Amino acid sequence: SIDGGLNFVNPITDTVTVYDLKVQAYEAAFASYTKDAQPVTGSIEGQYQLDPAKIMDIAQEYGTQEQLASKLGNTIEEKTKIVFARYGAMNLLEKREGLSPEVTIAVRELEDQFNVKFNQVIIRDIDFSDAFEASVEAKMEAEQAALKAEQDKKTAVIKAQQAQEVAEITAQAAI
């Protein structure tokens, strides 16, 4: 382990692997299923940082930082799929704002395993199949039509009551 700054290395007997301790960004796109077997695709992005005290452990277990990032990406993707699978499709739509914190909590369970610190995970995109989106749209249109029919019924009742009152007043006047 070599600290930052000027260091002397024997090029014949020593090799140096550089690890970037700055915050690293990652992105992952995935396809999964919801609890009610609806196909969903999504993408996430997040940030993590290597634990400087564990660089030797990272080097021994994963070799390069690129190999660590590859294994980390696959595991993050799997954790995200597990979170998505806890919800039905409609619940995913309704609870979208709460998904990022839930995925962040799930991903932070990996910190000790990979010797990194996760800053945050953000759900960037959730997309459902065209058939599901069409059914959601049809449901919304049906709900709107039902509300309109209910309002039309109330309006017709009020008009009928008004007509009856006018007829009663006209009958009273004729008497």
Side-chain angles (χ1 to χ4, degrees), residues 16-28:
V16 176
T17 303
V18 178
Y19 291 89
D20 189 351
L21 298 180
K22 293 184 291 199
V23 174
Q24 305 294 311
Y26 63 87
E27 294 182 12

Side-chain angles (χ1 to χ4, degrees), residues 3 6 21-22 29 32 38 47 51 53 55 77 81 87 101 109 114-115 124 126 129 135 148-149 161 167 175:
D3 293 328
L6 180 63
L21 298 180
K22 293 184 291 199
S32 185
Q38 288 293 329
Q47 299 173 343
D51 183 349
I55 292 296
E77 182 179 325
K81 287 178 180 181
Y87 296 100
E109 295 171 359
F114 288 98
N115 300 311
R124 281 193 326 179
I126 300 174
S129 69
S135 71
K148 185 179 182 320
Q161 288 172 344
I175 293 175

Side-chain angles (χ1 to χ4, degrees), residues 105-170:
I105 290 168
V107 166
R108 283 192 175 146
E109 295 171 359
L110 303 171
E111 288 181 338
D112 290 338
Q113 178 184 346
F114 288 98
N115 300 311
V116 299
K117 167 110 174 70
F118 288 98
N119 297 339
Q120 65 178 344
V121 179
I122 298 169
I123 306 294
R124 281 193 326 179
D125 186 37
I126 300 174
D127 191 29
F128 295 94
S129 69
D130 292 343
F132 177 74
E133 289 178 359
S135 71
V136 169
E137 188 174 332
K139 178 183 175 191
M140 294 302 291
E141 288 173 358
E143 288 175 2
Q144 291 297 319
L147 288 173
K148 185 179 182 320
E150 184 66 29
Q151 189 61 39
D152 290 348
K153 177 183 172 186
K154 287 178 182 178
T155 302
V157 168
I158 290 170
K159 285 183 180 181
Q161 288 172 344
Q162 288 173 343
Q164 182 180 0
E165 289 173 9
V166 168
E168 287 174 4
I169 292 171
T170 304

Side-chain angles (χ1 to χ4, degrees), residues 26 48 62 64-76:
Y26 63 87
Y48 69 94
Y62 302 104
T64 66
Q65 191 165 353
E66 290 77 20
Q67 289 172 323
L68 169 66
S70 174
K71 291 180 190 278
L72 194 57
N74 293 336
T75 310
I76 290 167

Side-chain angles (χ1 to χ4, degrees), residues 19 54-64:
Y19 291 89
K54 305 280 180 115
I55 292 296
M56 291 306 293
D57 294 336
I58 292 170
Q60 289 174 350
E61 190 163 344
Y62 302 104
T64 66

